[in-house]
Amino acid sequence: MEYIRKVNYYETDNMGVVHHSNYIRYFEEARIDILDRLNLGYSEIERQGIFIPVLECECKYIKSASFGMCLIIETEITAFDGIRMEMEYTVKDEQSRAILAKGKTKHCFLNKSFKPVRLKKNYPDIYNALYNFYTEGK
């Protein structure tokens, strides 16, 4: 799934390029966009008592992005079992389609007591929406 956004000036550093920390934010924006498109708004998921913390995050920087550039963040779920989820991201320049960065995040699903949640058993609607998106990408 593609998420498109424009680079803001405040995201750049003295060299005029996007500061490396912003790519992690782009991953989060793309992840939330997927949930919204699946009608699983993050605030609704939290209202139901589910949290989706980031367990691991990595990013490989390939080319620089700069102010005003439109970015495409391609996102896919690469592993999902209803307890854990892994996602991969490819950040591209919309104009040239050049790959700027690639990344991965790993997540789990927790309840308000920070105990693991089995989505398939306790939240089948959420499980089915994520599972269907996951299997469509295969």
Side-chain angles (χ1 to χ4, degrees):
M1 189 171 288
E2 292 185 350
Y3 170 70
I4 299 173
R5 61 139 20 242
K6 199 168 193 173
V7 173
N8 296 299
Y9 182 77
Y10 68 83
E11 297 169 325
T12 63
D13 59 20
N14 285 347
M15 296 181 290
V17 299
V18 171
H19 188 268
H20 67 277
S21 64
N22 288 299
Y23 290 88
I24 306 308
R25 291 183 175 129
Y26 300 159
F27 297 168
E28 181 176 292
E29 289 176 17
R31 193 165 56 247
I32 289 172
D33 181 65
I34 284 176
L35 293 174
D36 286 344
R37 291 186 195 197
L38 296 174
N39 294 316
L40 299 173
Y42 203 85
S43 58
E44 174 59 22
I45 289 174
E46 285 186 342
R47 189 189 66 69
Q48 292 186 48
I50 302 170
F51 297 104
I52 312 172
V54 176
L55 302 174
E56 293 181 35
C57 185
E58 64 181 66
C59 186
K60 179 178 180 178
Y61 306 98
I62 299 167
K63 291 185 175 185
S64 299
S66 57
F67 170 64
M69 185 181 279
C70 278
L71 305 177
I72 297 172
I73 298 98
E74 296 175 351
T75 309
E76 65 177 311
I77 297 174
T78 55
F80 176 76
D81 64 7
I83 299 170
R84 291 181 177 261
M85 175 173 67
E86 295 180 15
M87 302 182 87
E88 291 187 6
Y89 312 85
T90 303
V91 181
K92 295 181 178 180
D93 173 6
E94 184 182 45
Q95 187 174 12
S96 70
R97 299 290 179 172
I99 296 174
L100 308 177
K102 289 187 168 207
K104 297 178 185 180
T105 55
K106 293 183 181 183
H107 308 266
C108 66
F109 300 91
L110 301 177
N111 64 22
K112 289 182 179 181
S113 299
F114 298 103
K115 303 288 185 200
V117 172
R118 294 182 187 278
L119 292 180
K120 188 172 186 177
K121 178 181 176 185
N122 299 304
Y123 302 91
D125 292 343
I126 295 171
Y127 174 86
N128 289 332
L130 289 169
Y131 182 78
N132 291 338
F133 180 72
Y134 166 61
T135 56
E136 286 175 11
K138 294 189 150 223

Short mmCIF file of all heavy atoms in Angstrom, two decimals, residues 1-6 26-38 70-77 87-99 133 136-137:
data_model
loop_
_atom_site.label_atom_id
_atom_site.label_comp_id
_atom_site.label_asym_id
_atom_site.label_seq_id
_atom_site.Cartn_x
_atom_site.Cartn_y
_atom_site.Cartn_z
N MET A 1 0.85 -1.17 0.00
CA MET A 1 0.00 0.00 0.00
C MET A 1 0.90 1.23 0.00
O MET A 1 1.94 1.23 0.64
CB MET A 1 -0.91 -0.03 1.23
CG MET A 1 -1.97 1.04 1.20
SD MET A 1 -3.22 0.84 2.51
CE MET A 1 -4.12 -0.57 1.91
N GLU A 2 0.47 2.25 -0.70
CA GLU A 2 1.27 3.48 -0.79
C GLU A 2 0.69 4.61 0.05
O GLU A 2 -0.52 4.83 0.06
CB GLU A 2 1.34 3.96 -2.25
CG GLU A 2 2.13 3.07 -3.15
CD GLU A 2 2.28 3.64 -4.56
OE1 GLU A 2 1.62 4.65 -4.89
OE2 GLU A 2 3.05 3.07 -5.32
N TYR A 3 1.58 5.28 0.73
CA TYR A 3 1.24 6.49 1.48
C TYR A 3 2.12 7.59 0.90
O TYR A 3 3.33 7.41 0.75
CB TYR A 3 1.54 6.27 2.97
CG TYR A 3 1.46 7.52 3.81
CD1 TYR A 3 0.24 8.13 4.06
CD2 TYR A 3 2.61 8.07 4.36
CE1 TYR A 3 0.16 9.27 4.85
CE2 TYR A 3 2.54 9.20 5.16
CZ TYR A 3 1.32 9.80 5.39
OH TYR A 3 1.25 10.92 6.17
N ILE A 4 1.51 8.72 0.54
CA ILE A 4 2.25 9.82 -0.09
C ILE A 4 2.24 11.02 0.84
O ILE A 4 1.20 11.37 1.41
CB ILE A 4 1.64 10.18 -1.46
CG1 ILE A 4 1.72 8.95 -2.39
CG2 ILE A 4 2.38 11.37 -2.08
CD1 ILE A 4 1.00 9.13 -3.71
N ARG A 5 3.41 11.65 0.97
CA ARG A 5 3.52 12.86 1.80
C ARG A 5 4.65 13.72 1.25
O ARG A 5 5.54 13.26 0.58
CB ARG A 5 3.76 12.51 3.26
CG ARG A 5 5.02 11.74 3.48
CD ARG A 5 5.92 12.01 4.63
NE ARG A 5 5.43 12.69 5.78
CZ ARG A 5 5.91 13.86 6.19
NH1 ARG A 5 6.86 14.47 5.51
NH2 ARG A 5 5.48 14.41 7.29
N LYS A 6 4.53 15.01 1.55
CA LYS A 6 5.52 15.99 1.11
C LYS A 6 6.47 16.28 2.28
O LYS A 6 6.05 16.36 3.42
CB LYS A 6 4.80 17.27 0.69
CG LYS A 6 5.62 18.18 -0.18
CD LYS A 6 4.73 19.26 -0.77
CE LYS A 6 5.49 19.97 -1.87
NZ LYS A 6 4.64 20.90 -2.58
N TYR A 26 8.02 8.63 9.27
CA TYR A 26 7.33 8.30 8.02
C TYR A 26 6.78 6.88 8.09
O TYR A 26 5.67 6.61 7.61
CB TYR A 26 8.26 8.44 6.82
CG TYR A 26 8.84 9.81 6.61
CD1 TYR A 26 9.99 9.98 5.85
CD2 TYR A 26 8.27 10.96 7.15
CE1 TYR A 26 10.54 11.23 5.62
CE2 TYR A 26 8.81 12.22 6.93
CZ TYR A 26 9.95 12.35 6.17
OH TYR A 26 10.50 13.58 5.94
N PHE A 27 7.55 5.96 8.67
CA PHE A 27 7.07 4.58 8.81
C PHE A 27 5.80 4.56 9.66
O PHE A 27 4.82 3.89 9.32
CB PHE A 27 8.13 3.70 9.47
CG PHE A 27 9.42 3.54 8.70
CD1 PHE A 27 10.51 2.98 9.31
CD2 PHE A 27 9.55 3.95 7.38
CE1 PHE A 27 11.72 2.81 8.64
CE2 PHE A 27 10.76 3.80 6.69
CZ PHE A 27 11.84 3.23 7.33
N GLU A 28 5.82 5.31 10.75
CA GLU A 28 4.64 5.34 11.62
C GLU A 28 3.43 5.95 10.90
O GLU A 28 2.32 5.43 11.00
CB GLU A 28 4.94 6.15 12.89
CG GLU A 28 3.76 6.20 13.83
CD GLU A 28 4.09 6.92 15.13
OE1 GLU A 28 4.90 6.38 15.90
OE2 GLU A 28 3.54 8.01 15.34
N GLU A 29 3.64 7.03 10.17
CA GLU A 29 2.54 7.63 9.42
C GLU A 29 1.95 6.63 8.43
O GLU A 29 0.73 6.53 8.30
CB GLU A 29 3.03 8.87 8.66
CG GLU A 29 3.35 10.06 9.52
CD GLU A 29 3.92 11.22 8.73
OE1 GLU A 29 3.78 11.25 7.48
OE2 GLU A 29 4.53 12.11 9.35
N ALA A 30 2.80 5.91 7.73
CA ALA A 30 2.34 4.93 6.74
C ALA A 30 1.59 3.78 7.43
O ALA A 30 0.57 3.30 6.92
CB ALA A 30 3.52 4.40 5.94
N ARG A 31 2.09 3.37 8.58
CA ARG A 31 1.44 2.29 9.35
C ARG A 31 0.04 2.72 9.80
O ARG A 31 -0.93 1.97 9.67
CB ARG A 31 2.34 1.95 10.54
CG ARG A 31 2.02 0.72 11.27
CD ARG A 31 3.15 0.28 12.20
NE ARG A 31 3.57 1.28 13.18
CZ ARG A 31 4.77 1.89 13.19
NH1 ARG A 31 5.66 1.64 12.26
NH2 ARG A 31 5.07 2.76 14.13
N ILE A 32 -0.07 3.93 10.31
CA ILE A 32 -1.37 4.45 10.74
C ILE A 32 -2.31 4.62 9.56
O ILE A 32 -3.51 4.36 9.65
CB ILE A 32 -1.19 5.74 11.55
CG1 ILE A 32 -0.57 5.38 12.91
CG2 ILE A 32 -2.51 6.49 11.74
CD1 ILE A 32 -0.16 6.56 13.75
N ASP A 33 -1.76 5.02 8.41
CA ASP A 33 -2.56 5.15 7.20
C ASP A 33 -3.17 3.80 6.79
O ASP A 33 -4.34 3.73 6.42
CB ASP A 33 -1.71 5.73 6.07
CG ASP A 33 -2.50 5.92 4.79
OD1 ASP A 33 -3.43 6.75 4.78
OD2 ASP A 33 -2.19 5.23 3.80
N ILE A 34 -2.38 2.75 6.90
CA ILE A 34 -2.91 1.42 6.58
C ILE A 34 -4.07 1.07 7.51
O ILE A 34 -5.11 0.60 7.07
CB ILE A 34 -1.81 0.35 6.66
CG1 ILE A 34 -0.91 0.43 5.43
CG2 ILE A 34 -2.40 -1.07 6.78
CD1 ILE A 34 0.26 -0.50 5.45
N LEU A 35 -3.87 1.28 8.80
CA LEU A 35 -4.95 0.98 9.75
C LEU A 35 -6.20 1.77 9.42
O LEU A 35 -7.32 1.23 9.45
CB LEU A 35 -4.49 1.26 11.18
CG LEU A 35 -3.38 0.35 11.72
CD1 LEU A 35 -2.92 0.83 13.08
CD2 LEU A 35 -3.84 -1.10 11.77
N ASP A 36 -6.04 3.05 9.08
CA ASP A 36 -7.20 3.87 8.70
C ASP A 36 -7.90 3.30 7.48
O ASP A 36 -9.13 3.22 7.44
CB ASP A 36 -6.77 5.31 8.43
CG ASP A 36 -6.44 6.09 9.68
OD1 ASP A 36 -6.83 5.64 10.79
OD2 ASP A 36 -5.78 7.15 9.55
N ARG A 37 -7.13 2.91 6.47
CA ARG A 37 -7.72 2.36 5.25
C ARG A 37 -8.42 1.03 5.49
O ARG A 37 -9.33 0.66 4.74
CB ARG A 37 -6.66 2.20 4.17
CG ARG A 37 -6.14 3.51 3.64
CD ARG A 37 -5.22 3.25 2.49
NE ARG A 37 -4.40 4.38 2.14
CZ ARG A 37 -3.77 4.48 0.98
NH1 ARG A 37 -3.88 3.54 0.08
NH2 ARG A 37 -3.03 5.53 0.74
N LEU A 38 -7.98 0.32 6.52
CA LEU A 38 -8.63 -0.94 6.88
C LEU A 38 -9.78 -0.73 7.86
O LEU A 38 -10.32 -1.69 8.40
CB LEU A 38 -7.60 -1.90 7.49
CG LEU A 38 -6.47 -2.37 6.58
CD1 LEU A 38 -5.46 -3.19 7.35
CD2 LEU A 38 -7.01 -3.15 5.39
N CYS A 70 8.13 15.06 -2.83
CA CYS A 70 7.01 14.19 -2.50
C CYS A 70 7.54 12.78 -2.37
O CYS A 70 8.26 12.30 -3.26
CB CYS A 70 5.93 14.25 -3.57
SG CYS A 70 4.84 15.66 -3.38
N LEU A 71 7.20 12.15 -1.27
CA LEU A 71 7.66 10.80 -0.99
C LEU A 71 6.52 9.82 -1.09
O LEU A 71 5.39 10.12 -0.71
CB LEU A 71 8.25 10.73 0.43
CG LEU A 71 9.35 11.71 0.78
CD1 LEU A 71 9.75 11.52 2.24
CD2 LEU A 71 10.55 11.53 -0.14
N ILE A 72 6.84 8.64 -1.57
CA ILE A 72 5.92 7.51 -1.54
C ILE A 72 6.50 6.54 -0.52
O ILE A 72 7.67 6.17 -0.63
CB ILE A 72 5.81 6.81 -2.90
CG1 ILE A 72 5.25 7.76 -3.95
CG2 ILE A 72 4.98 5.54 -2.80
CD1 ILE A 72 5.30 7.20 -5.36
N ILE A 73 5.71 6.15 0.45
CA ILE A 73 6.14 5.14 1.40
C ILE A 73 5.30 3.90 1.13
O ILE A 73 4.10 3.88 1.41
CB ILE A 73 6.01 5.60 2.88
CG1 ILE A 73 6.89 6.82 3.15
CG2 ILE A 73 6.43 4.48 3.82
CD1 ILE A 73 6.17 8.11 3.09
N GLU A 74 5.93 2.90 0.51
CA GLU A 74 5.25 1.64 0.24
C GLU A 74 5.38 0.78 1.50
O GLU A 74 6.48 0.61 2.03
CB GLU A 74 5.89 0.92 -0.95
CG GLU A 74 5.73 1.68 -2.24
CD GLU A 74 6.47 1.05 -3.41
OE1 GLU A 74 7.27 0.09 -3.19
OE2 GLU A 74 6.27 1.51 -4.53
N THR A 75 4.27 0.23 1.94
CA THR A 75 4.24 -0.51 3.20
C THR A 75 3.55 -1.84 3.00
O THR A 75 2.51 -1.91 2.33
CB THR A 75 3.50 0.30 4.27
OG1 THR A 75 4.04 1.61 4.32
CG2 THR A 75 3.61 -0.36 5.63
N GLU A 76 4.15 -2.88 3.58
CA GLU A 76 3.49 -4.18 3.56
C GLU A 76 3.72 -4.89 4.88
O GLU A 76 4.71 -4.67 5.55
CB GLU A 76 3.99 -5.04 2.39
CG GLU A 76 5.44 -5.42 2.46
CD GLU A 76 5.87 -6.32 1.32
OE1 GLU A 76 5.17 -7.33 1.06
OE2 GLU A 76 6.88 -6.02 0.70
N ILE A 77 2.75 -5.72 5.22
CA ILE A 77 2.91 -6.59 6.38
C ILE A 77 3.62 -7.84 5.87
O ILE A 77 3.13 -8.49 4.94
CB ILE A 77 1.54 -6.94 7.00
CG1 ILE A 77 0.84 -5.68 7.53
CG2 ILE A 77 1.72 -7.97 8.12
CD1 ILE A 77 -0.58 -5.92 8.04
N MET A 87 6.48 -5.36 9.61
CA MET A 87 6.17 -4.55 8.44
C MET A 87 7.46 -4.09 7.78
O MET A 87 8.47 -3.90 8.45
CB MET A 87 5.32 -3.35 8.85
CG MET A 87 4.02 -3.74 9.52
SD MET A 87 2.98 -2.35 9.96
CE MET A 87 2.08 -2.17 8.43
N GLU A 88 7.41 -3.92 6.46
CA GLU A 88 8.54 -3.39 5.71
C GLU A 88 8.09 -2.16 4.95
O GLU A 88 6.94 -2.07 4.50
CB GLU A 88 9.10 -4.45 4.75
CG GLU A 88 9.78 -5.58 5.48
CD GLU A 88 10.50 -6.55 4.57
OE1 GLU A 88 10.58 -6.30 3.34
OE2 GLU A 88 10.99 -7.57 5.09
N TYR A 89 9.03 -1.24 4.80
CA TYR A 89 8.75 0.05 4.19
C TYR A 89 9.80 0.34 3.13
O TYR A 89 10.99 0.08 3.33
CB TYR A 89 8.82 1.17 5.24
CG TYR A 89 8.04 0.87 6.50
CD1 TYR A 89 8.61 0.13 7.53
CD2 TYR A 89 6.73 1.31 6.65
CE1 TYR A 89 7.91 -0.16 8.69
CE2 TYR A 89 6.02 1.02 7.81
CZ TYR A 89 6.62 0.28 8.82
OH TYR A 89 5.92 0.00 9.97
N THR A 90 9.36 0.91 2.01
CA THR A 90 10.26 1.41 0.99
C THR A 90 9.88 2.86 0.73
O THR A 90 8.73 3.13 0.36
CB THR A 90 10.17 0.59 -0.31
OG1 THR A 90 10.43 -0.78 -0.01
CG2 THR A 90 11.16 1.09 -1.35
N VAL A 91 10.82 3.76 0.97
CA VAL A 91 10.58 5.19 0.76
C VAL A 91 11.16 5.55 -0.60
O VAL A 91 12.34 5.30 -0.87
CB VAL A 91 11.24 6.04 1.87
CG1 VAL A 91 10.96 7.52 1.63
CG2 VAL A 91 10.75 5.59 3.24
N LYS A 92 10.32 6.15 -1.46
CA LYS A 92 10.74 6.52 -2.81
C LYS A 92 10.44 7.98 -3.09
O LYS A 92 9.50 8.56 -2.54
CB LYS A 92 9.98 5.68 -3.85
CG LYS A 92 10.28 4.20 -3.80
CD LYS A 92 9.50 3.48 -4.89
CE LYS A 92 9.81 2.00 -4.89
NZ LYS A 92 9.04 1.31 -5.96
N ASP A 93 11.22 8.55 -3.98
CA ASP A 93 10.94 9.87 -4.53
C ASP A 93 9.79 9.68 -5.52
O ASP A 93 9.90 8.87 -6.45
CB ASP A 93 12.19 10.42 -5.22
CG ASP A 93 11.96 11.72 -5.97
OD1 ASP A 93 10.86 12.31 -5.90
OD2 ASP A 93 12.89 12.15 -6.66
N GLU A 94 8.70 10.40 -5.32
CA GLU A 94 7.54 10.23 -6.20
C GLU A 94 7.88 10.54 -7.66
O GLU A 94 7.42 9.86 -8.57
CB GLU A 94 6.38 11.12 -5.74
CG GLU A 94 5.12 10.91 -6.57
CD GLU A 94 3.98 11.81 -6.15
OE1 GLU A 94 4.21 13.01 -5.94
OE2 GLU A 94 2.85 11.29 -6.05
N GLN A 95 8.71 11.55 -7.88
CA GLN A 95 9.01 11.98 -9.25
C GLN A 95 9.90 10.98 -9.99
O GLN A 95 9.57 10.54 -11.08
CB GLN A 95 9.67 13.36 -9.24
CG GLN A 95 9.85 13.94 -10.62
CD GLN A 95 10.36 15.37 -10.56
OE1 GLN A 95 10.79 15.85 -9.53
NE2 GLN A 95 10.32 16.04 -11.69
N SER A 96 11.02 10.61 -9.39
CA SER A 96 11.97 9.74 -10.08
C SER A 96 11.76 8.25 -9.78
O SER A 96 12.30 7.41 -10.48
CB SER A 96 13.40 10.11 -9.70
OG SER A 96 13.66 9.75 -8.34
N ARG A 97 11.00 7.98 -8.73
CA ARG A 97 10.78 6.62 -8.24
C ARG A 97 12.06 5.98 -7.67
O ARG A 97 12.13 4.78 -7.43
CB ARG A 97 10.19 5.69 -9.30
CG ARG A 97 8.84 6.11 -9.83
CD ARG A 97 7.79 5.95 -8.78
NE ARG A 97 6.50 6.38 -9.32
CZ ARG A 97 5.37 6.22 -8.71
NH1 ARG A 97 5.33 5.65 -7.55
NH2 ARG A 97 4.25 6.63 -9.24
N ALA A 98 13.07 6.79 -7.44
CA ALA A 98 14.31 6.30 -6.84
C ALA A 98 14.05 5.89 -5.40
O ALA A 98 13.31 6.57 -4.67
CB ALA A 98 15.39 7.38 -6.88
N ILE A 99 14.66 4.79 -4.99
CA ILE A 99 14.52 4.33 -3.61
C ILE A 99 15.45 5.17 -2.73
O ILE A 99 16.65 5.28 -3.00
CB ILE A 99 14.85 2.83 -3.48
CG1 ILE A 99 13.82 2.02 -4.27
CG2 ILE A 99 14.88 2.42 -2.00
CD1 ILE A 99 14.13 0.53 -4.33
N PHE A 133 -5.23 -8.29 4.74
CA PHE A 133 -4.26 -7.38 4.12
C PHE A 133 -2.92 -8.09 3.98
O PHE A 133 -2.25 -7.98 2.94
CB PHE A 133 -4.13 -6.10 4.95
CG PHE A 133 -3.13 -5.14 4.38
CD1 PHE A 133 -3.42 -4.43 3.22
CD2 PHE A 133 -1.90 -4.96 4.98
CE1 PHE A 133 -2.49 -3.54 2.68
CE2 PHE A 133 -0.98 -4.06 4.46
CZ PHE A 133 -1.27 -3.36 3.30
N GLU A 136 -3.10 -10.70 1.16
CA GLU A 136 -3.21 -10.07 -0.18
C GLU A 136 -1.84 -9.69 -0.71
O GLU A 136 -1.62 -9.67 -1.91
CB GLU A 136 -4.11 -8.83 -0.11
CG GLU A 136 -5.57 -9.14 0.02
CD GLU A 136 -6.41 -7.89 0.21
OE1 GLU A 136 -5.89 -6.77 0.05
OE2 GLU A 136 -7.59 -8.03 0.58
N GLY A 137 -0.92 -9.34 0.19
CA GLY A 137 0.42 -8.93 -0.21
C GLY A 137 1.33 -10.07 -0.58
O GLY A 137 2.44 -9.86 -1.04
#
